């Protein structure tokens, strides 16, 4: 029985890496269609990291990020959080809305809706990958978004899942759009029982 994410063995981590690869590939296709531009992607990195290390990997606790949060239920209980830097967010919104002057701290209704949709696409790409590989029934909440410092954004999922320890699954994606490189992150915090169910469905022990 898993007590924390670090108990996952090599086959289990490989399975999560494969889900990350498939989910990111699906997200790439959807985002490219949304912004009508080609997006290139490096192989995503899937890691299990302590909370404090996650802050540093995001550039430090005070680095401003745009966070989109989705909760899952059904066969997979947990949280997905998609984190973007402000430059990448503006690049995506310009492609979706055709405007570059956007106040991310207080976005208008259209911009807010577009931000949530981008996060929804990213997170659901991973959720759909899990569902298609396992047959699990996974329900998702309406996404919520916020622009804040990384430390503040990370405190939200950690408060929800403090009983599982101070670790999280951390997926880093490196994108290239129009010769500009961007990094985004997906934080995946499923309940440990859901992880065990997932691995059982995948035949991984």
């Amino acid at each position: 029985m898993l007590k924390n994410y670090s108990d996952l063995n090599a086959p289990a981590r490989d399975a999560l890496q494969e889900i990350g690869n498939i989910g990111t590939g699906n997200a790439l296709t959807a985002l490219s269609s949304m912004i009508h531009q080609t997006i290139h992607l490096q192989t995503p990195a899937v890691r299990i990291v302590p909370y404090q290390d996650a802050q540093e990997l995001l550039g430090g606790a005070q680095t401003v990020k745009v966070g989109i949060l989705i909760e899952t239920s059904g066969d997979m209980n947990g949280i997905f959080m998609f984190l973007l830097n402000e430059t990448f967010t503006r690049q995506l919104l310009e492609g979706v809305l055709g405007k570059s002057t956007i106040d991310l701290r207080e976005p208008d209704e259209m911009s807010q809706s577009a931000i949530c949709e981008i996060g929804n696409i990213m997170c659901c790409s991973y959720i759909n990958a899990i569902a298609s590989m396992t047959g699990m029934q996974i329900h998702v909440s309406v996404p919520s978004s916020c622009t804040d410092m990384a430390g503040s954004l990370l405190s939200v999922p950690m408060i929800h899942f403090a009983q599982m320890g101070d670790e999280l699954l951390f997926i880093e994606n490196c994108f290239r759009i129009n010769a500009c490189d961007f990094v985004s992150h997906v934080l995946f915090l499923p309940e440990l029982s859901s992880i065990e169910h997932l691995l059982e469905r995948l035949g991984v022990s």
Side-chain angles (χ1 to χ4, degrees):
M1 182 176 179
L2 292 175
K3 294 183 179 179
N4 51 56
Y5 293 139
S6 59
D7 289 341
L8 292 168
N9 58 22
R13 292 173 188 243
D14 289 343
L16 294 174
Q17 176 74 56
E18 183 59 21
I19 289 171
N21 292 340
I22 295 172
T24 303
N26 293 344
L28 182 70
T29 300
L31 287 179
S32 293
S33 177
M34 276 189 74
I35 67 174
H36 308 293
Q37 295 183 54
T38 300
I39 304 176
H40 302 284
L41 174 72
Q42 297 179 13
T43 301
V46 180
R47 288 175 277 186
I48 297 170
V49 300
Y51 170 74
Q52 293 298 331
D53 289 358
Q55 294 186 77
E56 294 308 312
L57 289 169
L58 292 171
Q62 296 185 353
T63 301
V64 175
K65 297 285 183 179
V66 178
I68 302 98
L69 181 73
I70 289 178
E71 296 187 48
T72 64
S73 58
D75 291 337
M76 175 66 67
N77 294 312
I79 285 178
F80 276 84
M81 179 176 278
F82 182 43
L83 295 166
L84 291 162
N85 65 33
E86 292 181 284
T87 304
F88 191 18
T89 304
R90 286 194 171 89
Q91 177 83 22
L92 292 175
L93 290 178
E94 184 175 356
V96 174
L97 303 176
K99 60 179 183 178
S100 56
T101 305
I102 297 169
D103 183 355
L104 294 178
R105 299 299 182 96
E106 295 183 7
D108 58 37
E109 184 176 348
M110 185 176 294
S111 299
Q112 180 76 19
S113 177
I115 290 170
C116 285
E117 182 58 21
I118 289 167
N120 188 48
I121 286 172
M122 285 297 293
C123 293
C124 286
S125 294
Y126 295 95
I127 293 165
N128 291 338
I130 293 171
S132 64
M133 292 173 70
T134 64
M136 295 171 72
Q137 299 295 314
I138 305 173
H139 310 293
V140 299
S141 69
V142 175
S144 59
S145 71
C146 179
T147 301
D148 205 338
M149 292 184 292
S152 297
L153 292 172
L154 286 176
S155 68
V156 176
M158 294 312 297
I159 289 171
H160 277 272
F161 289 89
Q163 73 275 13
M164 296 189 305
D166 65 348
E167 297 171 320
L168 45 80
L169 296 174
F170 187 91
I171 304 171
E172 182 175 274
N173 298 309
C174 297
F175 297 99
R176 169 163 286 203
I177 305 175
N178 295 331
C180 295
D181 293 323
F182 303 98
V183 177
S184 75
H185 301 91
V186 177
L187 308 182
F188 180 27
L189 289 93
E191 292 183 357
L192 293 173
S193 59
S194 293
I195 282 283
E196 290 179 324
H197 188 195
L198 165 65
L199 295 175
E200 182 182 337
R201 288 291 189 99
L202 292 173
V204 177
S205 58

